[in-house]
Amino acid sequence: MATVGDNRSNMFFWPRPELPMVERGEGIHIWDSEGRRYIDASSGPQTTALGHGNQRVAEAVAAQMAKISYAFPSHFLSEPSERLAAELAAQAPFDLDRIFFCSGGSEAVEACIKLARQHAIAAGEGRRYKIVSRMPSYHGTTLGALSLTGDPAGFGPFAPMLVNQPKIPAPFCRYRPRGESEEEAALRFAGMLEAEIVEQGAETVLAFIMEPIGGAATGALTAPEAYYTRVREICDAHGVLLILDEVMSGAGRTGRFLAAEHWGVRPDLVALAKGLAAGYFPFGACLTSTRLLDVVEGGGGFNHGHTYSASPLACAVGRAVLAEHLERDLYGNAARMGALLKSRLQALAADFPFIGEVKGEGLLLGFDVVADARTGTPLPPELNANLAIVEAARKRGLIIYSRRMFAGVRGDQFLVSPPLIVTEAEIEEIVGLLREALEEFRPVTEAAIG
Ligand SMILES: Cc1ncc(COP(=O)(O)O)c(C=O)c1O
C-alpha cells in the first residue's frame, strides 16, 4: 500500500519521484512544501504567462462554476466559448477568424492536422496526406503529433506505431559555412522544403508544420525574414497548407499575439495552447480562416471533437486571461522586458565562451551551450550541460528549462521565459542567479575543452 510520509503516496506515477512538492505560487514565485522559494523563470513549460495566483482568473472560475461548469459540446453552445472566440479573432492577424477549442497543445496540433486533411478531401485533393515537419522540433506526444515531432528520443518504443512523416532540417542559420551570408543560409534551408515536397510528390503533400520560434528542441530558434517569406511562397506554389505551431510562441509571449506577426508570415492553420489559459486550466485552440473552413463545411463539416472541447470553464478562464493580457498591456511588457532580458543574455554570452547563440523574441528566449561558438560544435555529451546548469540554477532558487536535442545525444538548449508580468528588477535578479549558475559550470567546460 501507499507510503504517506512527506505527503507522498508513491501511487501517482511520474518519472521523477525526487522532485520537490509544490505548495503555493504568487506572481513569478513558487514555494515548495519545505518553504523554499523559486523564481519561475521558465513559466513552467512557457505556460504561466500571468504568473501565479491571479485573482481575476480565480474569480472568473468561481463565477462560471456557480453558473455551470460543464456542458457537452454536442448538446449545447456556451456564452464563454462564443465570446472568447470573437475576442481572440479580434486579436488574430491575417484572415484568422475561426476557432476550435480543445484542451492542450497536442490536441491543438491534432485538430490542425485533421482539419487540413478534411480540407484537402473537400477540395477534391484526397491524395494529399503527408505533413512535412522539421528536425529537431516539438509538436506534442499524442501519436499524431509525435509523428510530426522531430526528436527520435521521443519516438523510442513508439516508432513502429507512428506514421512516417517527412522531416527537413531546422534552420540553424547561425552555424553556416564560412562565406555564406545569413540570408543565403535562410534560403538554403527554405529550399530544403521545396526539395522535400518535390521528392515526396507535391500532389501527396498536405501541409508543412513549423514552430515560427522554436521551443525547447531548438532553444527559441528563429530565422531571417527571408526564410519565412520563402516558406510561404513554396507552400503556395505547391498547394501545401502552412500550419504554424504557436502552442508555445502564441498568445502574446513574444510581444505579439502570434509570433508569425514578427515576419508577416500568413499561416493557414495555427495551434495555440499554453499562454491561452496561462496554466489556470488545460486549454488549447486551432485557429483558421472562414476561407478554409467554408471548404470543409462544404464537404460535410469538421469531423472531430473531444469530451472537453470548448469547455465553458476553460473558455471563462481564457476570457479572464485575455482581459488581463490586454488591460495590463502584457504583450507590450513581453516586448519591453524581452528586449532587456535578451540584452542581458547577450552580455552573458560575451562573458561565457561556451554560450553559443542567444535566440528568440519577446519573452521566449533561449541560448545553446557549445564547445565552439562559431561552428556550434556541441559540448561532450557526458558533461550533461543541459542538466548541470538547470540544477546549478535550481539550487539558487531559479527555474529555467533545458533540452538535449538529437535523440538526447548532443546539443544543449536552454529557454529563459519568465511570465509576461515580469518586472525589470525581477529580470536583473534572474540574470544574476543565472550568471552564478553559469560560473559554477565554467570550470567543468574548461577542464573538458580548455
Ligand atoms: C510547440 C509545441 N507544440 C505542441 C506542444 C504539446 O503541448 P501539450 O504538452 O500541451 O500537449 C508543445 C508543448 O511543449 C509545444 O511546445
Side-chain angles (χ1 to χ4, degrees):
M1 265 302 280
T3 47
V4 182
D6 188 25
N7 291 338
R8 291 174 199 247
S9 70
N10 294 333
M11 302 294 279
F12 166 62
F13 60 96
W14 189 250
R16 306 266 318 266
E18 78 286 4
L19 290 175
M21 189 81 77
V22 72
E23 183 69 25
R24 68 187 180 88
E26 190 181 322
I28 70 162
H29 296 109
I30 293 179
W31 283 263
D32 71 16
S33 57
E34 293 178 6
R36 271 187 300 260
R37 192 195 80 158
Y38 304 84
I39 298 180
D40 185 5
S42 70
S43 306
Q46 297 70 48
T47 299
T48 55
L50 282 184
H52 302 275
N54 184 282
Q55 205 48 37
R56 182 190 209 138
V57 178
E59 284 163 16
V61 169
Q64 185 58 42
M65 277 194 159
K67 280 192 190 172
I68 186 162
S69 300
Y70 179 79
F72 183 34
S74 296
H75 292 167
F76 293 100
L77 302 176
S78 80
E79 187 185 331
S81 59
E82 293 295 317
R83 286 187 182 268
L84 179 61
E87 290 160 0
L88 289 174
Q91 297 304 313
F94 314 111
D95 56 354
L96 300 165
D97 59 352
R98 306 297 292 277
I99 302 176
F100 174 86
F101 292 121
C102 53
S103 303
S106 300
E107 278 192 13
V109 169
E110 300 282 346
C112 289
I113 300 171
K114 287 195 168 181
L115 192 57
R117 172 69 181 150
Q118 287 175 62
H119 176 265
I121 292 171
E125 302 205 331
R127 288 183 66 198
R128 293 186 187 268
Y129 69 95
K130 297 175 187 166
I131 301 183
V132 183
S133 61
R134 307 196 307 194
M135 176 70 80
S137 63
Y138 190 81
H139 298 294
T141 51
T142 52
L143 293 180
L146 189 59
S147 298
L148 306 179
T149 288
D151 178 5
F155 298 169
F158 314 113
M161 303 161 73
L162 300 175
V163 181
N164 187 14
Q165 297 280 14
K167 307 280 183 297
I168 58 167
F172 284 99
C173 298
R174 150 101 178 223
Y175 303 125
R176 57 188 183 272
R178 280 189 203 280
E180 184 181 58
S181 73
E182 210 180 352
E183 172 132 331
E184 284 164 348
L187 293 174
R188 174 167 55 80
F189 278 106
M192 293 176 193
L193 172 61
E194 184 148 51
E196 188 65 38
I197 291 172
V198 171
E199 165 91 18
Q200 294 290 333
E203 70 289 353
T204 67
V205 180
L206 177 63
F208 173 54
I209 185 167
M210 68 172 182
E211 301 152 274
I213 299 182
T218 56
L221 182 73
T222 64
E225 183 160 351
Y227 178 81
Y228 300 90
T229 309
R230 188 71 194 118
V231 159
R232 181 71 256 185
E233 286 168 1
I234 292 166
C235 288
D236 285 341
H238 296 281
V240 169
L241 295 174
L242 178 59
I243 305 175
L244 292 186
D245 182 344
E246 296 233 23
V247 164
M248 193 181 276
S249 60
R253 171 150 291 279
T254 73
R256 306 280 183 90
F257 181 69
L258 294 185
E261 295 173 65
H262 292 288
W263 301 279
V265 56
R266 179 184 59 76
D268 297 292
L269 297 133
V270 180
L272 286 173
K274 298 193 184 269
L276 210 51
Y280 288 91
F281 212 80
F283 201 37
C286 160
L287 214 59
T288 190
S289 61
T290 297
R291 164 181 59 85
L292 190 139
L293 207 60
D294 276 351
V295 177
V296 176
E297 282 171 357
F302 187 33
N303 175 12
H304 183 59
H306 302 276
T307 298
Y308 290 105
S309 299
S311 139
L313 206 46
C315 293
V317 169
R319 292 194 69 206
V321 169
L322 182 63
E324 284 282 270
H325 278 155
L326 298 181
E327 281 175 27
R328 295 167 65 183
D329 184 28
L330 294 181
Y331 303 167
N333 198 56
R336 288 185 294 276
M337 292 302 111
L340 174 67
L341 179 56
K342 193 169 189 179
S343 72
R344 294 290 186 270
L345 293 177
Q346 279 159 341
L348 290 179
D351 290 347
F352 294 94
F354 54 87
I355 295 185
E357 186 180 13
V358 173
K359 296 167 278 186
E361 291 286 337
L363 286 172
L364 180 50
L365 297 176
F367 60 90
D368 52 358
V369 162
V370 291
D372 180 335
R374 202 208 72 76
T375 60
T377 306
L379 280 172
E382 60 277 12
L383 296 189
N384 282 320
N386 63 322
L387 301 179
I389 294 174
V390 166
E391 189 45 40
R394 180 195 268 278
K395 272 193 332 210
R396 293 168 169 81
L398 178 71
I399 299 177
I400 56 169
Y401 194 94
S402 76
R403 194 173 179 88
R404 174 162 284 178
M405 297 158 33
F406 297 107
V409 177
R410 62 188 171 88
D412 297 296
Q413 300 286 341
F414 297 81
L415 290 178
V416 186
S417 48
L420 276 48
I421 57 169
V422 72
T423 64
E424 212 171 307
E426 288 167 341
I427 295 272
E428 302 298 0
E429 193 182 355
I430 290 167
V431 173
L433 293 170
L434 182 57
R435 177 178 286 279
E436 286 179 23
L438 293 165
E439 279 299 356
E440 183 179 321
F441 188 68
R442 189 196 292 268
V444 179
T445 59
E446 284 174 353
I449 56 170

